[in-house]
Structure formats: structure tokens, C-alpha cells
Amino acid sequence: DIQMTQSPSLLSASVGDRVTLNCKASQNINKNLNWYQQKLGEAPKLLIYYTNNLQTGIPSRFSGSGSGTDYTLTISSLQPEDVATYFCFQYNSGPTFGAGTKLELK
Amino acid sequence: EVQLVESGGGLVQPGRSLKLSCVASGFTFSNYGMNWIRQAPGKGLEWVAYISSGSSYIYYAETVKGRFTISRDNAKNTLYLQMTSLRSEDTALYYCARGATVATWGQGVMVTVSS
């Protein structure tokens, strides 16, 4: 199975900060990676698909990048409504999720 | 609007069975592969099973292989998950989700395995 390691597990940042979340795969996943946002008590919501494609309706402050085994989700200017847990997900083979990064306001 | 509505959850004793359903609307169900994904209380997400649009391809996580069966009825726009030999570690919120890339999720249905 492909293991997905997210870092950090907890991130505290201020409104307006540029925030970077990381996801590392145990082997090449060929950019077959999505990012999801999950707020408390809600289902996950797709933010980014296939590494760097913004899902319809998602604010442009969210962006994704990466290749091979290393992937990044960036929030260019953190907003209060971005407080949530973020999961990466690889669907290259034997689909697996990362453990999540909990993003909170400082 | 794309909608996925799960049902069939509840409290069940260890070793017993339960069948979940997910009714889809707002899109052509028969064109999409579908997934079951679960989340134990306070924990992360675990992919459980996938079925292709025509049921030709079916895959399971190792943790449920041999105990869970995913199926679908395209005439009824419905996805199923038959769960047998349930264990306490199967306690979770179960989501159905659309597509091999898991783009759209339902709101989930809770399954609690406890004596």
C-alpha cells in the first residue's frame, strides 16, 4: 500500500498568512492526488484535484503543486473560514488518505 | 445538484451484519464509479471499497476484504455496502463518494458496533 504522510499535523497561523501544507507519498503517485477540506461536523469537500486543479467554486487563494512523491497545498492568504482539517488523497493505486493537517488560527 | 444520501446505519452487535445504501441524484449514476469511505470518531479517513460504473471492477481495503461487499443497482441509482462479521473497529461514519477521483461525498451514515 502507498503511505501518505502529511505535515505538519497541526498548524497555527494568523489571518492573512501564507500557509503551506505538505503531503509525501511512499512512492511515485503520478500527480494522482486530491486535497480535501473538512470542517467540524461536515463531510469532506474537494478543493484541488489532480495535484493542481481548483475545484469549481473554491476560492483562488487555494492552490496545489507537486510531482512524484511530494505535494503541497498552499493558502495564499488565510481567512477565518479556512479553519478546518485538510486531507490529501492518492488514487494512483490502492487509494489512501493522509492523516490530516489541522489548521487553526493563532 | 449532485446529491448522495446514505442510510441503513445504526447500532449493531459484534459479529452481526448491516447493509448500507446510498441513493444518488442529480447526475447519471450509471456513468460513474462509486466508493465507500469511512471515518472513525475523531479519526482520519479510510477508503473502504470501490465499484466501477458497470460493476466490472471491484476493490476493497485489506481491513474489510472478505467481510464487506460493495454492489450497485443502476436502475435504482443506488449503491450498497453489505457488512458482515462486524467488529468494534468498524465503528465509523460511512460516506459514499462519487468517482474514481472521489469528487463528491454524501453526508455520511453512522455505524456503531458494540455489545
Side-chain angles (χ1 to χ4, degrees):
Chain A
D1 283 5
I2 298 176
Q3 308 303 316
M4 304 299 291
T5 303
Q6 286 191 246
S7 62
S9 55
L10 176 64
L11 181 57
S12 297
S14 301
V15 172
D17 282 355
R18 182 180 182 87
V19 170
T20 299
L21 286 65
N22 302 295
C23 185
K24 185 175 184 66
S26 59
Q27 63 190 72
N28 182 8
I29 55 171
N30 300 301
K31 295 189 173 184
N32 291 311
L33 180 118
N34 293 349
W35 288 95
Y36 300 89
Q37 177 193 66
Q38 187 177 34
K39 296 183 178 181
L40 203 60
E42 297 182 6
K45 179 169 68 175
L46 179 64
L47 300 176
I48 302 287
Y49 62 96
Y50 194 59
T51 293
N52 56 8
N53 295 275
L54 192 66
Q55 176 70 346
T56 302
I58 301 302
S60 59
R61 64 180 179 274
F62 291 92
S63 64
S65 63
S67 64
T69 61
D70 294 297
Y71 298 84
T72 298
L73 174 70
T74 300
I75 307 173
S76 60
S77 177
L78 186 67
Q79 300 302 303
E81 61 267 31
D82 299 336
V83 168
T85 300
Y86 293 81
F87 294 96
C88 62
F89 170 70
Q90 70 80 19
Y91 51 92
N92 190 66
S93 81
T96 46
F97 289 90
T101 292
K102 186 175 183 179
L103 179 58
E104 62 179 29
L105 287 179
K106 194 181 291 184
Chain B
E1 180 194 2
V2 173
Q3 274 202 309
L4 299 168
V5 179
E6 303 93 338
S7 62
L11 174 63
V12 60
Q13 293 180 326
R16 304 298 289 265
S17 300
L18 200 62
K19 187 172 186 176
L20 305 182
S21 300
C22 169
V23 176
S25 60
F27 66 101
T28 304
F29 180 70
S30 59
N31 286 351
Y32 288 85
M34 297 293 294
N35 302 270
W36 287 101
I37 293 164
R38 67 185 181 183
Q39 187 169 33
K43 302 296 185 181
L45 298 162
E46 180 187 17
W47 171 82
V48 172
Y50 169 83
I51 184 168
S52 62
S53 58
S55 304
S56 297
Y57 301 97
I58 290 175
Y59 306 102
Y60 297 98
E62 286 298 322
T63 52
V64 306
K65 197 175 289 184
R67 299 188 300 122
F68 290 11
T69 302
I70 188 171
S71 63
R72 64 191 295 161
D73 185 335
N74 286 344
K76 295 182 177 179
N77 290 345
T78 303
L79 176 73
Y80 302 101
L81 186 67
Q82 176 70 54
M83 304 183 293
T84 64
S85 302
L86 282 161
R87 307 166 180 167
S88 58
E89 54 264 38
D90 296 318
T91 293
L93 187 62
Y94 284 74
Y95 296 100
C96 67
R98 186 183 79 167
T101 57
V102 190
T104 306
W105 301 58
Q107 285 304 302
V109 61
M110 189 67 201
V111 172
T112 303
V113 183
S114 175
S115 54

